[in-house]
Every structure is written in C-alpha cells, then in structure tokens.
Amino acid sequence: MEINMNQLTKIVIDTRGGDKGASAMVAGAAAALDKYPELGIVLVGDQQEIDTLCASLSMPSERLEILHAAEEITNHDSPAEALFQKQDSSMLKALQALSERKELFGLITTGNTGVLLAGAMRYLSGKNRVRPALAAVLPAQSGGFTCLVDTGATVDCTPPVLHHFARLGSDFMRDMYGLVSPKIGLLSNGAESSKGNKLVKETHVILAQDDSLCFVGNIEGNEALSGKCDVLVCDGFAGNQVLKVTEGTATRIITDIMKYAYKTGSGEIKTLASHLMSIYDIGSLGGGIILGVEKPVIKARGNAGPDAVVNTAGMLLNMSRNQAVFDAAQNHI
Amino acid sequence: MEINMNQLTKIVIDTRGGDKGASAMVAGAAAALDKYPELGIVLVGDQQEIDTLCASLSMPSERLEILHAAEEITNHDSPAEALFQKQDSSMLKALQALSERKELFGLITTGNTGVLLAGAMRYLSGKNRVRPALAAVLPAQSGGFTCLVDTGATVDCTPPVLHHFARLGSDFMRDMYGLVSPKIGLLSNGAESSKGNKLVKETHVILAQDDSLCFVGNIEGNEALSGKCDVLVCDGFAGNQVLKVTEGTATRIITDIMKYAYKTGSGEIKTLASHLMSIYDIGSLGGGIILGVEKPVIKARGNAGPDAVVNTAGMLLNMSRNQAVFDAAQNHI
C-alpha cells in the first residue's frame, strides 16, 4: 500500500479496547476521512479484522494505513503488568508509533485509562517523567470552553501537582484556543480564599503567587462551567465528580423531558429534547485529553461510537494548527 | 402573650443572618402556620422588627412566640469567636432555647454554617462531642430520596469519619423514611472496589466489614442521585461538588430551555420550564440537615425565601413523627 500523506495531518486510532469493538472505530475513521480531506489515519489493531471492516466501507486508501497488533488491552489489565507483558497490544503499539514516527500528530483510543496514562508517560513524556493529567474541554455557559484538569488521572494530589495542572491547562488553552491569558480557577466549596479542604487552601496560596498565571480564585461547583474561568483546577477525584455529575444531571433532565414529550405528545418538546441532547451529550464531545506529554493523546469514552471518533479527530486537527502547545507544556517543571 | 402550644409541634426559626432579612423569614413563618395547623413557631430575632413584620400579616398569636435577640451572626463571624462573643445572637439563642426547652422540636436557620455547626455541637451534641455532619436529602431519579452526607461540614475526612457519616445517614433514612435497611453507597470515581482516592479505598474496606450497614459499594458521580443507594457517603468537599454541580447543571439547562421558549414563543415549552424549575430548584427543597445532634437543625440556604421556610417547616413536621431518629443517631460512636 503506497501512501502519500505528506500534506496531511496524520493521526493514530487504536481500534481495540472499546466497548463497541473495532467496527465502531473503523466506521468512525471512515466518517472522519470523509469529513476532513486534510486528515490521514493509521488504524492499529487486528489487520484481518480491519481489512474486512474497511472492505465494506469506501475508504480513501491513500489516506489510510493499517498497523497490525496481535493483542488487546482490556479494562482488567493493570498498568504495570500491561507495560511489560502486552507490548504487542494495539494501545502500546499505537503509542510507540506516535513516539517514533515524527509525521504522526496524535492518538485516539477508547481503551483502559490507567494503562494509557502509564503508556503515555513511558513513550511520550520526553525528558520529564512527570505524571500526565487527564483534562476535559467542556462547553461553558458563557459560550467558550472550560478545561477541567484533572478528571481522574491523579486522585490523590499535592499542592505542587495542582500547580502543575494549572500550568498545563493554561498553556493548553492559550495555544489551543488562542487565549492570551487563560483565567485559572480553583475548584472549592466556597468562593472565599479561606474556603476549601487542606489541599485547596494550600494550592490557593501557591497559585496566587505565580505571576505567570492569571489566577481568578476559587470557583464553586455550581459555577464550574459558567465560563468564569478558562481552566478549572482540581484533583482527579473531585474533577471526576464535576464531569460525571454534570453528565448525570443533564441525562436525567433530558430523560424527564422526553417522558414529558411522550406524555403530552408535543412535537415541539421532542425537538427541544433532541436539541438538548446534542448539546449535553458529554460522551460524544470529544473525550479526555492527556496534558503534559509530547503529542496529543485523546482518551475517548469506553462506549464511544463513530460520532466520538469524528469529533475527536476534529479536535486533533484543531490542535495540529496550534502544535506549539505540547512543546510549551514540556517547558514547565 | 399567653400561648397554649401543648398539642403542637413547636419549632424555632432564626430570623436573622439570611440574605433576605427577617421579612422573608417572618413571611415564611406566617405561610407555614397557615399551611400546617399542627405547627407552632418561636421566632428569634429583633423583637421590635418582628412585631412590626407580624403586625402586617395575620398571624395566629396562640401558635406564635417571639424570643428577642439583640445580635446577629454574619457570614464574616468565625465560629470560635462567635461562640464566645455573640451569645446574644439570634442563632445562638435559638440553639440554646432548643437545647434547654424540652417542648421545642427543631430549628430552621439561614445563617453562617460554620457557626451553626459549632453551636449545634456545643448545645446539642449531648454526651458525645462528635463533629456533626451536614446532609442534604435530594429527590432520586428512581422516585425516592437520597441522603447525601456530608455536603460541606467536614472537608478533610478520615475513614472513621466517613464510617460515622454512613451510620448517621443510615439511621436517618431508616427512621425518617421508614426504610428497613437503607442502601449505603460510597461516592467514588469508578464502580469497582479498587477505584477511589486513598480515603475512599480505605473507607470501602471499613464499610464492607460493618454488618449493621447495607453497603452496596461504590457509586459514580453520574449515578449519585439515581436511587441506587439511599445514603451516599462522601467527604464534605466532594459532597459539596455533587450538590452544587447538580444545581448548576440543572439551572443552566433550564435557563437554556427558557431562552428556547422565548425564541420559539412556545407556551408548551414555557410550561415545561416551570415544571422543571419546581423539580430541580434545590434551593427551595429544604436545605441541609445536621445529623449527629440531639434535635433536628435545618440549615436553609443564605438566600432562602418564604417558600424554603415553608418546605423546611414541613420537613421538621415529618421528622417529629419519627422522632426516634435523633436519639438513634446518638447511640453510635
């Protein structure tokens, strides 16, 4: 297969490890190639399975490459064991290719988060072997975006770790969204600087002293996605709650609206429910992004379907126009 | 003023310390007396102000008592200082009356949470001077209620403290809602027992070993209010996020729906928005309840209006029919 991908932004897609199997990932890849003419894709997984799936879709072969991997990382694999025993897995082969091949820009995977973070640290942390963060970029009420960091990579944090997250998030939002001075908020249980647990109070002092950051103070949970800050810093446990409670509440209300629509038979309300679903379906928004590594790695949800692949591929294309971010992120610590 | 309140459930209402002033509290008291004929109220605050406010409302004087307090606890007061220097404040006089007068059942206040917790511990903790918890009882998607404990009283917890919260919550839901064996969930960032921060992992082991509890395991944020558990145990920092993110997300979606209704001019959608507002207006649901003290104390939101006073008075009347709960809660630790 001869491929000329020099003019393309080439990304790697791990086809294994997701709930919906390789078929969803390959279908997503096909849709992304169709939507973005400047995109090239390397599919990593079982060659035979991918060949079969591709045969049933019309894929532009000049923008497609397949990399065979005999093994699959499952959700039962522990990071330490997987790194040593499953080097021929699609996730680790994808990370290795991303690390070794200069022309590859980023990676999308739906697989095991723990193994992914460990693998990203092994293959993509460069000289600085720091723990990466898993961020989520969510639509803010004000119309922009809020980068929530961390959403679950590091659940027990120290103040210097949260400080590191603030800098990673600040760099990311500056370079990715062109914000001159991203506003950094600290998730707390009260707006006053005296509010917070021990971790938050100590972090507040450190963030307030860092002149390189535009620290706007504590942000409460009800304003997490208000747009008062561009980066919301928190430990991975609290960030996971913000992400999942937002999703759970939105899903619940939209379900209520659907029931109400069926009860009343209102077409208008059904239309509204579909509209809200398209806004608040966090699962399809693009997934988490690993900050603090040399190239962008996107962790889509385990149950991600083709739409999520298209959306995350779109995110990577956006980032490729602002590649500086990941270099900049490396200049810290 | 001669009052015969022997057949009544008498509650204390602190009229000061809220954002909307004594007028909102007195108006709420009048509405509650109107709605509940079995209710008696002791209003605590500035006698002259309350007299003036009462004069403009038709209040049943035989079910009303006024207790003068010259001072007010503000949000700037620290618990330690307030306890010593503001003993003539409405909040502390209300707590003292509740402690000393057997016929008084419970208290509603909108004031400073920190001072309230310290005051409740001082006047109402009985022999056991344990840190009380601030719980919220929220409507679950399944149709019942979920008791979220803690929502902000103790933001730095140890596993034994979370274990204590689990028992307080279990007693409360058993006695208040008649659940034979309330299901206890532990808020975590994953359903598996291996998921969680250090605190949650250690607490998981303790809860699983306590045969007096019906522990159902970890619950993720998106299922916090699904009804999978009757009591959701978490540290006050995480619980505050669950509460406020739920509120923030609901408010945001309902605001979106209102905008959509005005854009489309749809009366049906306006009706829907009002319906959702009545369900998801957490502020009016009743406020937080302090668990682990001898009598029920409800902390309504600082911006609570008359509706919140009526709802919380209704909560107290419900509880008075199940008074055993607060004794039971004391039998632990």
Side-chain angles (χ1 to χ4, degrees):
Chain A
M1 188 163 22
E2 209 174 29
I3 301 167
N4 175 3
M5 286 166 72
N6 290 338
Q7 305 305 311
L8 304 173
T9 295
K10 298 181 205 171
I11 66 169
V12 186
I13 296 180
D14 172 14
T15 64
R16 309 186 82 164
D19 303 345
K20 296 184 177 169
S23 62
M25 302 306 286
V26 174
L33 287 170
D34 195 45
K35 182 170 181 181
Y36 304 114
E38 72 275 35
L39 185 69
I41 291 179
V42 179
L43 292 171
V44 188
D46 183 85
Q47 172 101 38
Q48 202 178 339
E49 184 181 22
I50 297 175
D51 279 340
T52 309
L53 290 164
C54 286
S56 67
L57 301 158
S58 81
M59 308 271 275
S61 62
E62 71 285 1
R63 293 193 278 134
L64 186 68
E65 178 186 339
I66 298 168
L67 186 62
H68 178 67
E71 288 185 292
E72 179 172 10
I73 300 286
T74 72
N75 279 328
H76 303 292
D77 286 316
S78 80
E81 285 176 10
L83 281 191
F84 288 98
Q85 293 168 10
K86 288 199 165 177
Q87 300 207 356
D88 198 27
S89 62
S90 58
M91 184 192 283
L92 296 182
K93 283 194 93 164
L95 283 165
Q96 196 180 355
L98 190 62
S99 162
E100 291 173 357
R101 291 169 55 178
K102 199 165 180 297
E103 82 278 16
L104 298 180
F105 178 73
L107 166 66
I108 299 168
T109 177
T110 56
N112 183 317
T113 308
V115 177
L116 180 63
L117 287 162
M121 199 166 150
R122 173 169 177 171
Y123 290 106
L124 296 167
S125 65
K127 293 168 204 157
N128 313 300
R129 293 233 160 191
V130 297
R131 175 89 178 161
L134 188 61
V137 181
L138 302 168
Q141 191 164 15
S142 59
F145 288 90
T146 301
C147 175
L148 181 67
V149 53
D150 179 63
T151 63
T154 308
V155 291
D156 289 295
C157 291
T158 58
V161 169
L162 289 192
H163 184 202
H164 175 49
F165 290 170
R167 297 174 124 194
L168 289 177
S170 183
D171 286 343
F172 177 74
M173 293 306 282
R174 189 184 58 233
D175 296 335
M176 167 92 177
Y177 290 92
L179 304 178
V180 177
S181 184
K183 288 173 289 182
I184 310 295
L186 179 63
L187 183 72
S188 191
N189 58 317
E192 306 88 344
S193 62
S194 61
K195 289 289 177 74
N197 54 16
K198 191 167 175 288
L199 171 66
V200 166
K201 285 182 196 167
E202 291 177 13
T203 303
H204 190 106
V205 175
I206 295 175
L207 295 183
Q209 286 170 347
D210 184 343
D211 292 337
S212 74
L213 297 174
C214 175
F215 179 51
V216 298
N218 288 352
I219 300 285
E220 294 185 82
N222 54 333
E223 300 203 308
L225 301 178
S226 65
K228 277 197 175 178
C229 62
D230 304 304
V231 177
L232 183 59
V233 176
C234 50
D235 70 76
F237 189 87
N240 196 267
Q241 303 314 327
V242 172
L243 193 66
K244 289 186 181 161
V245 172
T246 300
E247 182 196 354
T249 306
T251 304
R252 178 175 171 179
I253 296 178
I254 294 168
T255 306
D256 278 1
I257 295 174
M258 288 301 282
K259 283 187 197 159
Y260 191 86
Y262 281 101
K263 209 176 75 182
T264 60
S266 163
E268 275 181 350
I269 293 179
K270 277 182 203 162
T271 307
L272 169 71
S274 308
H275 171 70
L276 290 172
M277 245 187 283
S278 70
I279 300 177
Y280 289 100
D281 179 11
I282 291 178
S284 77
L285 270 180
I289 173 157
I290 298 184
L291 302 185
V293 291
E294 291 178 317
K295 290 185 175 182
V297 174
I298 291 183
K299 164 67 178 89
R301 300 276 287 256
N303 62 0
D307 283 355
V309 176
V310 175
N311 290 344
T312 47
M315 272 181 80
L316 288 177
L317 285 174
N318 265 338
M319 285 181 213
S320 75
R321 299 176 198 121
N322 296 281
Q323 193 159 7
V325 55
F326 292 90
D327 303 330
Q330 286 304 302
N331 293 334
H332 288 310
I333 306 224
Chain B
M1 192 163 25
E2 208 174 32
I3 301 167
N4 175 4
M5 284 166 73
N6 290 338
Q7 304 305 310
L8 304 173
T9 296
K10 298 181 206 171
I11 66 169
V12 186
I13 296 180
D14 172 14
T15 63
R16 309 186 83 163
D19 303 346
K20 296 184 177 169
S23 62
M25 302 306 286
V26 174
L33 288 170
D34 195 45
K35 182 170 181 180
Y36 304 114
E38 72 275 36
L39 185 69
I41 290 179
V42 180
L43 292 173
V44 188
D46 184 83
Q47 172 101 40
Q48 201 178 340
E49 186 181 18
I50 296 174
D51 279 340
T52 308
L53 289 165
C54 287
S56 67
L57 300 158
S58 79
M59 308 272 277
S61 62
E62 70 285 2
R63 294 193 277 135
L64 185 67
E65 179 186 339
I66 297 168
L67 186 63
H68 178 66
E71 288 185 291
E72 178 173 11
I73 301 285
T74 72
N75 279 328
H76 302 292
D77 285 316
S78 81
E81 284 177 12
L83 281 191
F84 288 98
Q85 293 168 9
K86 287 199 165 176
Q87 300 206 357
D88 199 27
S89 62
S90 58
M91 185 192 282
L92 296 181
K93 284 194 94 164
L95 283 166
Q96 197 180 353
L98 189 62
S99 163
E100 290 172 358
R101 290 170 56 178
K102 200 166 178 296
E103 81 278 14
L104 298 181
F105 178 72
L107 166 67
I108 299 167
T109 177
T110 56
N112 182 319
T113 308
V115 177
L116 180 64
L117 286 162
M121 199 165 149
R122 173 168 177 173
Y123 290 107
L124 296 168
S125 65
K127 294 169 202 155
N128 313 300
R129 294 233 162 192
V130 296
R131 175 90 178 160
L134 188 61
V137 181
L138 301 169
Q141 192 164 15
S142 59
F145 287 90
T146 301
C147 175
L148 182 65
V149 52
D150 179 60
T151 62
T154 308
V155 291
D156 288 295
C157 291
T158 59
V161 169
L162 289 193
H163 184 202
H164 175 51
F165 290 170
R167 297 173 123 194
L168 289 177
S170 183
D171 286 342
F172 177 75
M173 292 306 282
R174 189 184 58 235
D175 296 335
M176 168 93 178
Y177 290 93
L179 304 179
V180 177
S181 184
K183 287 172 291 181
I184 311 296
L186 179 63
L187 183 72
S188 190
N189 59 317
E192 306 88 343
S193 62
S194 62
K195 288 289 177 75
N197 55 16
K198 192 166 173 289
L199 170 67
V200 166
K201 285 182 196 167
E202 290 177 13
T203 303
H204 190 106
V205 174
I206 295 175
L207 295 183
Q209 286 170 347
D210 184 343
D211 292 336
S212 73
L213 296 174
C214 175
F215 179 51
V216 298
N218 288 354
I219 300 284
E220 294 185 81
N222 53 333
E223 299 203 308
L225 301 177
S226 65
K228 277 197 177 179
C229 62
D230 305 304
V231 177
L232 184 58
V233 176
C234 50
D235 69 76
F237 189 87
N240 196 268
Q241 302 315 325
V242 172
L243 192 67
K244 289 185 181 161
V245 172
T246 300
E247 183 197 354
T249 307
T251 305
R252 178 173 170 179
I253 295 178
I254 293 167
T255 305
D256 277 1
I257 296 174
M258 289 301 281
K259 281 187 199 160
Y260 191 86
Y262 282 101
K263 210 176 75 180
T264 60
S266 163
E268 276 181 348
I269 293 179
K270 276 181 204 163
T271 307
L272 169 71
S274 307
H275 171 70
L276 290 172
M277 246 187 284
S278 70
I279 300 178
Y280 290 100
D281 179 11
I282 291 178
S284 77
L285 272 179
I289 173 157
I290 297 184
L291 301 185
V293 292
E294 291 178 317
K295 290 185 175 182
V297 174
I298 291 183
K299 164 68 179 88
R301 301 275 286 254
N303 63 359
D307 283 355
V309 176
V310 176
N311 290 344
T312 47
M315 272 180 81
L316 288 177
L317 285 174
N318 265 340
M319 284 181 213
S320 75
R321 298 176 197 120
N322 297 281
Q323 194 160 4
V325 55
F326 291 91
D327 303 329
Q330 285 305 302
N331 294 334
H332 288 308
I333 306 226

